[in-house]
Amino acid sequence: MLGASQADRRLLPEGRLAGPMPWVIAIMMFLTALAAAAGLAMGDAAHRLGGDLGRQVTVQIVAADPGVRDREADAAQHVLANQDGVSGLHKLGGDEMQALLQPWLGDAGLDRDLPLPAMIDVDLTDAGRARLDRIAAALVVAAPHARIDDHASWLAPLVALIRSLGLLAGGIVAMMVGATAAAVVLAARSALNTHRQTIDVMHMMGSTDAQVARLFQRRLALDALFGAVVGLVGAIVVILGIGRRLGEIGSGLVGSITLPWTAWAALLALPILAGLLALAVARITVQRALARTL
Amino acid sequence: MAGIVQFENVGLRYGTGAETLSDLSFSLAQGSFYFLTGPSGAGKTSLLRMLYLSQRPSRGSIRLFGEDVVQLRRARLPGFRRRIGVVFQDFRLIPHLSAFDNIALPLRIAGVDERDLVTPVREMLAWVGLADRASARPPTLSGGEQQRVAIARAVIGRPEILVADEPTGNVDPEMAARLLHLFDALNTLGTTIVVATHDIHLLSRVASANVMRLEHGQLQDPTGALRYPPRADAEGHG
Ligand SMILES: Nc1ncnc2c1ncn2[C@@H]1O[C@H](COP(=O)(O)OP(=O)(O)OP(=O)(O)O)[C@@H](O)[C@H]1O
Ligand SMILES: [Mg+2]
C-alpha cells in the first residue's frame, strides 16, 4: 500500500504535505513512549515484586534468653527444612545482623549483650505460599517464640500502587493513540483543501477515490512515521538516562524497576504502529471527504 | 439510433433562485459536431458541466452512452468520465506539473504504462505546437499556450465525447483555426464533439457542425435537429 509509482509521486508537489503534523506526532510519540516505558517497567516490577519478594518470609525468634533463642532457632530450621514448599533457608549470622542494624544503632550501639532476635530468611515455592498457615502452625509447636514476618503483606499495597500506575500509563498511551489519529485527520483535511484543485481535475478525468486517497495516505503515513521516529529517539534517550540514575541508586526495590527486552521491542514497534495508524486514518479521512463530492 | 447524449426535461437551479437552465430536451448523435452558443451567462458552462458529470441536474434525466447517469452510483462515475475529454473554460492545468505531465495525466489515471505514454504525449505536444515547451510549467506559459495544453490533455485519451468550453478564447484567429481543424480531425475519427463558444466566426469553420443556441436558460432549436424525443418523421413516435 505504501508503494507508489513515479507518476503518483509527481502529482502532488514535493515536500511535506502535513504541515506541523509530524512534529505534533513527534511530541506525542515522545510522551507515549515515556508513558509506555513507565507502564511496562511498572508492570514488570509489580510482577517481580509479587513473585520473588512475595515468596519470601522471615522467621524471627524473639526470646530474651540466648539459650532458648538458639535452641528454638535450631528447632525452627529443622522443622522448616522438612516442610513441603520451602525452597531455601538462610539463618542470618551475627555479621549480617550487625549490618542490618548498623544504620539504626551505629557502630557504638552494637553490643554483644543486646538481645537480638534470631532471623531466618525462608524462600517459599508457590505451593509453599499457599500452605503458609500450616507451615506456621508446625513452626510454633517446635519454636513457641517464632514469629513469621510475611513480606507479601507489606508489599501488597506497594504492588497495588505500582499496578495502578501501570494502568494509568496504559490509559495515557490509549489517549495518545486517539490524539495521534486526530492529528492525522486534521493534516489530511488540510492537505485535501490545499490540493482541492488537483483533486477536482483528477476526478474529472476519471480518477477513482482510491487513486486520489493513495496519493495522500502514503505521504501522510511517511510524515507520521518520521515524526514518530524523532519522538521515539528522544524518549529512548530519556529512558536510558533515567535507567542509569535508577541503577546508581542501586537499592533493592528501585533497582527492580528495569525494562525487559519485550518492553524495548514494544517501544520500537510504536513508530511503525503510528505509521500504519496514520495510513489507515488518512485513507478513511480522504475517502470520506471525497464521498461528499460528486 | 439513440443519441450518445440525451437530455430530457433537464432543469438546473443553483441555490434557491430561478432555474438557470430549464426544460432542456435534446439528443446528440454519435460522431457529430455541435457548437453551443449563446450570450455570456446564458448557461453554456452549466450545461456542459452536467454533460461531463461535474454537476447533477436539479430535475430531468440525462443519459450518456445509453445509461442514465443522474442516478449512477458514485463508484461508476470514473468509468464514464474516462470516456469524456474536457477542455475547461479556465483550463485547470495543474501548476506544479510540466506541460508534458499535465497532458499525460489522463493516461496515467487510466493506468497506461510509463513507457507507452511518452510517444503519444510528445506527438500531442507537437500537434498543438508546443514540442519545445514540454517541460515548462503552466504559470510560465502564455494564456494561449496553456489553452493548447488543456486541449491536448482533453484529447490524448481518445475520448468518445470531447467537450470544450470556449477552447479558442485566448488564441489568435490563426491558432483558433488550427485547433478547430484538430477537433474536426478527431470528429472524423468518430469522436462526438461539443464546443461552447460565443465566437460566431467559428461556427462557419466546420461545415458539418450543428448549432445549439442557449438563451434565457432555454435551448433555442431553430432547425429541430436536436429535439428529443426526435420528431415523428425521424423516429416514428412522439
Ligand atoms: N456554481 C454556481 N453557483 C451559482 N450560480 C452559478 C454557478 N455557476 C454559474 N452560475 C450562474 O449561472 C448562470 C450561467 O452561468 P454559466 O457559467 O453557465 O454561463 P455561460 O453561458 O458559460 O457564460 P460565459 O459565456 O460567460 O462563460 C450565470 O448567471 C451564473 O452566475
Ligand atoms: Mg462559460
Side-chain angles (χ1 to χ4, degrees):
Chain A
M1 247 188 309
L2 279 180
S5 69
Q6 267 316 110
D8 272 4
R9 233 163 270 180
R10 254 178 305 180
L11 274 173
L12 298 178
E14 293 293 317
R16 284 269 156 61
L17 261 192
M21 184 269 275
W23 303 108
V24 173
I25 287 186
I27 292 167
M28 285 193 297
M29 180 55 64
F30 178 73
L31 298 174
T32 306
L34 287 185
L40 291 166
M42 298 278 182
D44 187 55
H47 182 70
R48 285 195 292 137
L49 283 179
D52 296 354
L53 292 181
R55 284 201 297 262
Q56 266 188 4
V57 299
T58 303
V59 173
Q60 294 187 36
I61 295 163
V62 190
D65 181 341
V68 173
R69 189 178 61 210
D70 290 345
R71 196 165 4 94
E72 289 199 10
D74 290 343
Q77 273 182 285
H78 186 70
V79 169
L80 287 169
N82 288 313
Q83 286 289 325
D84 282 345
V86 173
S87 57
L89 273 183
H90 173 65
K91 181 169 184 293
L92 273 68
D95 295 345
E96 286 170 294
M97 294 294 287
Q98 287 207 4
L100 265 182
L101 292 175
Q102 199 255 356
W104 280 271
L105 301 179
D107 287 331
L110 284 178
D111 173 336
R112 292 240 152 239
D113 300 333
L114 190 68
L116 292 177
M119 295 180 80
I120 306 165
D121 278 342
V122 182
D123 296 326
L124 299 174
T125 61
D126 281 336
R129 250 239 75 92
R131 59 186 297 273
L132 186 56
D133 286 349
R134 296 193 9 226
I135 294 175
L139 187 63
V140 171
V141 172
H145 290 92
R147 247 181 36 209
I148 290 186
D149 179 8
D150 182 357
H151 295 189
S153 64
W154 59 265
L155 276 177
L158 185 61
V159 169
L161 172 67
I162 290 177
R163 286 230 167 90
S164 38
L165 286 177
L167 285 180
L168 178 64
I172 290 175
V173 170
M175 287 191 281
M176 291 290 178
V177 169
T180 301
V184 175
V185 168
L186 292 179
R189 289 214 185 125
S190 107
L192 279 177
N193 277 335
T194 311
H195 299 286
R196 166 68 47 204
Q197 280 194 317
T198 303
I199 295 169
D200 281 349
V201 169
M202 289 180 63
H203 254 157
M204 280 308 116
M205 293 178 175
S207 255
T208 61
D209 291 351
Q211 278 178 314
V212 176
R214 212 164 51 217
L215 295 183
F216 288 90
Q217 73 200 20
R218 181 183 161 276
R219 298 269 294 269
L220 289 170
L222 288 178
D223 284 353
L225 185 66
F226 167 79
V229 168
V230 169
L232 183 66
V233 167
I236 285 178
V237 168
V238 170
I239 291 168
L240 289 177
I242 291 177
R244 268 185 55 190
R245 288 286 145 74
L246 287 179
E248 283 164 9
I249 295 174
S251 135
L253 268 186
V254 177
S256 71
I257 300 177
T258 57
L259 272 184
W261 71 267
T262 44
W264 282 110
L267 287 182
L268 292 178
L270 281 176
I272 295 166
L273 293 179
L276 291 176
L277 176 72
L279 188 73
V281 169
R283 181 182 184 83
I284 292 168
T285 307
V286 172
Q287 295 228 11
R288 285 179 59 173
L290 294 179
R292 282 195 288 273
T293 64
L294 179 66
Chain B
M1 187 192 69
I4 192 169
V5 176
Q6 291 173 4
F7 276 50
E8 203 171 337
N9 292 319
V10 170
L12 176 65
R13 184 195 302 277
Y14 290 114
T16 54
E19 278 193 325
T20 299
L21 294 170
S22 30
D23 299 323
L24 299 180
S25 292
F26 61 88
S27 171
L28 304 185
Q30 182 160 9
S32 303
F33 196 122
Y34 298 89
F35 280 116
L36 179 63
T37 66
S40 181
K44 299 183 293 295
T45 299
S46 302
L47 190 160
L48 295 185
R49 286 185 63 209
M50 290 191 287
L51 176 51
Y52 59 74
L53 304 178
S54 131
Q55 171 78 51
R56 277 192 205 281
S58 314
R59 62 186 175 88
S61 99
I62 299 176
R63 298 176 76 79
L64 290 184
F65 312 112
E67 264 194 86
D68 186 337
V69 290
V70 178
Q71 305 298 336
L72 209 60
R73 273 190 307 119
R74 221 185 108 66
R76 292 201 54 212
L77 288 174
F80 279 81
R81 287 177 176 146
R82 288 179 193 187
R83 300 167 72 178
I84 306 172
V86 185
V87 184
F88 300 99
Q89 188 164 10
D90 49 359
F91 315 149
R92 306 220 197 152
L93 300 177
I94 296 180
H96 58 266
L97 293 185
S98 66
F100 183 98
D101 286 333
N102 265 288
I103 294 172
L105 191 54
L107 298 182
R108 287 182 171 144
I109 286 172
V112 173
D113 203 88
E114 286 298 303
R115 274 169 307 164
D116 297 337
L117 58 73
V118 176
T119 310
V121 172
R122 295 223 171 272
E123 278 174 10
M124 195 47 92
L125 274 163
W127 205 4
V128 295
L130 291 172
D132 54 341
R133 306 302 313 268
S135 56
R137 283 162 201 248
T140 69
L141 294 172
S142 77
E145 287 168 334
Q146 290 179 40
Q147 193 151 35
R148 283 181 274 157
V149 173
I151 290 171
R153 184 181 68 178
V155 302
I156 184 111
R158 291 288 158 96
E160 291 162 64
I161 303 176
L162 176 72
V163 177
D165 199 352
E166 299 286 356
T168 58
N170 284 274
V171 296
D172 55 60
E174 198 185 336
M175 181 52 74
R178 261 180 69 191
L179 292 177
L180 265 191
H181 183 72
L182 169 60
F183 290 162
D184 204 13
L186 278 173
N187 183 234
T188 314
L189 292 174
T191 305
T192 308
I193 311 246
V194 183
V195 178
T197 182
H198 35 219
D199 179 359
I200 46 170
H201 299 296
L202 280 188
L203 305 186
S204 57
R205 292 253 178 200
V206 182
S208 59
N210 304 290
V211 178
M212 300 195 276
R213 188 168 169 75
L214 264 181
E215 242 170 88
H216 309 302
Q218 295 210 301
L219 205 54
Q220 315 297 311
D221 181 13
T223 65
L226 306 167
R227 184 175 298 179
Y228 183 82
R231 278 185 187 156
D233 52 294
E235 192 83 353
H237 62 81

